[in-house]
Every structure is written in C-alpha cells, then in structure tokens.
Amino acid sequence: MNPIRLASNRPPERFYRGGSRISAFRGEPNTAQREPEDWIGSITTVYGEADLGLSALPDGVILRDAIGADPEAWLGTAHAERWGADSRLLVKLLDAGQRLPVHAHPHDEFAARHLGRAHGKAEAWYILEGGVVHIGLREDNDKSTLAGLVAEQNVDALLGLLHEVEVAAGDVVWVPPGVLHAIGAGVLLLELQQPEDLSILLEWKGFDIDGASAGHLGLGFDLALAAVETRARSAAEIEGMVHAAPASGAVLPAAADPYFRLERMPVAGSATIDEGFSIVVVSDGVVEIAGEEAARGVTLLVPASAGKLTVRGEGELLIARPPAP
C-alpha cells in the first residue's frame, strides 16, 4: 500500500468556536464557525456517537473497517500481534477560536473500571500558531474544593488554579491524564492523543454545552472528579511539560512514549520516513512523497506495508506514530 492523502474530517457543531485556522493551514475555504477539530486517521467516534469522527479512505471505506480487515498490513506485524486492530492513536488539528474550558481526561485504569473503555486519554500538542495555554495546578487542592468551584461555575477561580504559559510555533506540550488544562484563544495545534473522546469538564459557562449533564461522562461529578489530579505541578515540572521542540527527531518527553510518538523531520533535499504506521502532516514547504507532491497542510496516512519512504524537496514534516510495540 502507498501513503494515502486524507481529506478533512471535521465533526460539525462542536461546543466551542474555531476552524478558520485549520482552513487556512489546509488551504481550504473557510465556512463553518464550529468545526474547530480535524480528526486525522481516526478510528475513534465523538463521545456518544455511532459514526461521527471516523475517517474514511478515498474509496469510501471506513478506516476502522480497513484496519480491522488487515491489521498486519496497516499497523505492522509486531503491533498487530500485541494490540490487534487498535491503532492506539488519534491525531487532530485543533483551532481554538475561543479559549477552551478547564477540563481533564481520565487515565487508563479509571476509563477501564468506570467506563469500560480500552484507553484513557493522554495527549500532547505541537504548536503551529502560538498564544497562551493553561496547564497544571499551581497549588495543591482537594476534590471538595474543585467540586465547589464546578457547582458555582466560578470561571475566574477555576482558571486561576492553573499555570498560564505562553507558547509559540514549534513548542510542544505534554498533558498527562488527569492534569487540568485549557487551550487559549488563537492557538492552532497538532494534537496526539489516545484514541478516545473522554473529557471531564469543570467549566462550561458561556459554551454551547450542558456541562451539568454532559461534563461528567455519565458518572456524576463526585466520581468523575476522582480522575482529576489535585496535586500542584511545580514550575520545574511545567517546564518539562511545555518547551521548545528540538529541530529534528523525537520531540515529546519520554513519559509520552507508552502512549504515542512524534517526530519532527526537516527536509532539505531528501529525507527518509522509517517504516511503520504513521500519520504525516506537512507543516511547512513543499515536498514529494512516493511520487506525489504535498504542500503545507497536507495530511497523509502511511500504512506499515508502505515500507520506508523517500521524501524530496524543501519543507518540514510532523510524523505521528503509536507507541512502539
């Protein structure tokens, strides 16, 4: 199989605004105001939906079904032997047209025990256009304090709990499960995450969502808040979670390795993409991959059976992969 160019896959009418920066990055017309996420190579559905969020191949076949029919060709022998048809990866472009609410995601054990899910939701961001992010508690808290702020919808207090960090293009942000965070308005990023859509919303005032009923994953806030980290993150820890990416090679901290991997690959003449299932995003310039020209904003799905790929041209690639088997 050869690399497959993927069209946009943007679930409509999300609860927050955004999408114009994704359109500009991809070179597409700017239309809907609430399509802030492009789900790339997705075998995951929007929470509570049967099909929404799933990626389709150019021939109309759903990617999840294609991988299920031949996981070894798509994901590689070692991956398929360990994890079957689970790609263990969801990649998104995300455009925060407004600041996102303060929220967190559960870890694997909580998701398995209380939600019957195969994964929690660790995530990491590669910043394409900068701004402000809010991440990690500045001081120790407890569940009852958080519950009180949630009940009151005290937005200023909730946001004030978190470190505020300026980010620029080329920075990376590692968000472990349970860590409270919010992406600031104007930020465009590439997100790697475990293949689940599980969010615990502490804030929803001013957003187009009924957080009182939808914000706790059907568990009630008393239980859902048990998945939220209540210890402070030191300034040194935040620096380890938010930092400039190396110019080339692996860009995420070792703590992310059990969940996913991201490589930054500058191309000046030629370069080689190693064999293995990956999602490739052209972040800059114009390159040729497997005989096909690809400019900034193009996203490619690379099956393991495509083997090593030679890239020629001038530009930069972001290569997202699942964890090593």
Side-chain angles (χ1 to χ4, degrees), residues 200-222:
I200 300 163
L201 298 181
L202 277 68
E203 174 196 356
W204 56 85
K205 185 177 180 181
F207 294 92
D208 189 19
I209 189 170
D210 180 5
S213 60
H216 49 67
L217 300 171
L219 302 174
F221 278 109
D222 186 58

Side-chain angles (χ1 to χ4, degrees), residues 12-306:
E13 299 304 318
R14 302 296 276 167
F15 69 88
Y16 66 98
R17 297 188 301 274
S20 62
R21 292 173 186 83
I22 295 174
S23 298
F25 178 73
R26 277 190 164 277
E28 299 173 342
N30 176 24
T31 53
Q33 300 302 304
R34 289 187 181 270
E35 292 184 355
E37 300 171 4
D38 182 357
W39 293 36
I40 306 169
S42 170
I43 64 167
T44 305
T45 59
V46 172
Y47 184 76
E49 298 286 343
D51 302 303
L52 188 64
L54 294 174
S55 289
L57 300 175
D59 61 4
V61 174
I62 298 300
L63 175 61
R64 183 178 65 184
D65 297 339
I67 292 176
D70 194 352
E72 188 169 325
W74 280 97
L75 304 175
T77 301
H79 184 116
E81 287 178 348
R82 182 171 181 184
W83 293 309
D86 181 358
S87 72
R88 301 187 71 83
L89 178 66
L90 175 59
V91 177
K92 297 177 184 175
L93 289 167
L94 188 151
D95 168 23
Q98 67 184 113
R99 179 184 63 76
L100 271 65
V102 175
H103 65 289
H105 310 291
H107 51 74
D108 288 358
E109 190 276 334
F110 185 95
R113 176 180 295 183
H114 299 292
L115 298 166
R117 298 295 184 120
H119 312 281
K121 189 183 169 188
E123 64 184 50
W125 313 327
Y126 183 94
I127 305 299
L128 296 167
E129 296 180 20
V132 170
V133 299
H134 308 264
I135 183 167
L137 291 170
R138 295 187 298 110
E139 298 178 354
D140 290 341
N141 272 263
D142 55 46
K143 193 175 77 169
S144 63
T145 299
L146 295 178
L149 296 177
V150 170
E152 297 167 7
Q153 280 301 282
N154 190 331
V155 174
D156 291 340
L158 282 168
L159 199 63
L161 296 175
L162 307 181
H163 295 269
E164 181 176 300
V165 186
E166 291 275 352
V167 291
D171 286 349
V172 292
V173 183
W174 158 236
V175 188
V179 172
L180 287 168
H181 57 281
I183 301 167
V187 176
L188 174 68
L189 56 84
L190 183 74
E191 178 178 8
L192 281 70
Q193 62 173 82
Q194 293 178 274
E196 297 284 358
D197 186 32
L198 303 173
S199 294
I200 300 163
L201 298 181
L202 277 68
E203 174 196 356
W204 56 85
K205 185 177 180 181
F207 294 92
D208 189 19
I209 189 170
D210 180 5
S213 60
H216 49 67
L217 300 171
L219 302 174
F221 278 109
D222 186 58
L223 177 55
L225 288 174
V228 176
E229 182 176 272
T230 56
R231 75 169 181 88
R233 291 276 178 165
S234 68
E237 286 180 293
I238 296 300
E239 288 179 3
M241 295 162 65
V242 185
H243 55 81
S248 64
V251 302
L252 299 180
D257 287 347
Y259 302 104
F260 35 65
R261 296 168 288 164
L262 180 64
E263 178 184 359
R264 185 180 188 184
M265 177 180 287
V267 181
S270 66
T272 301
I273 300 175
D274 290 336
E275 179 179 349
F277 176 78
S278 63
I279 291 169
V280 176
V281 178
V282 182
S283 55
D284 195 25
V286 180
V287 299
E288 182 184 285
I289 304 176
E292 295 282 339
E293 184 176 279
R296 172 180 165 89
V298 166
T299 58
L300 298 170
L301 178 66
V302 180
S305 58

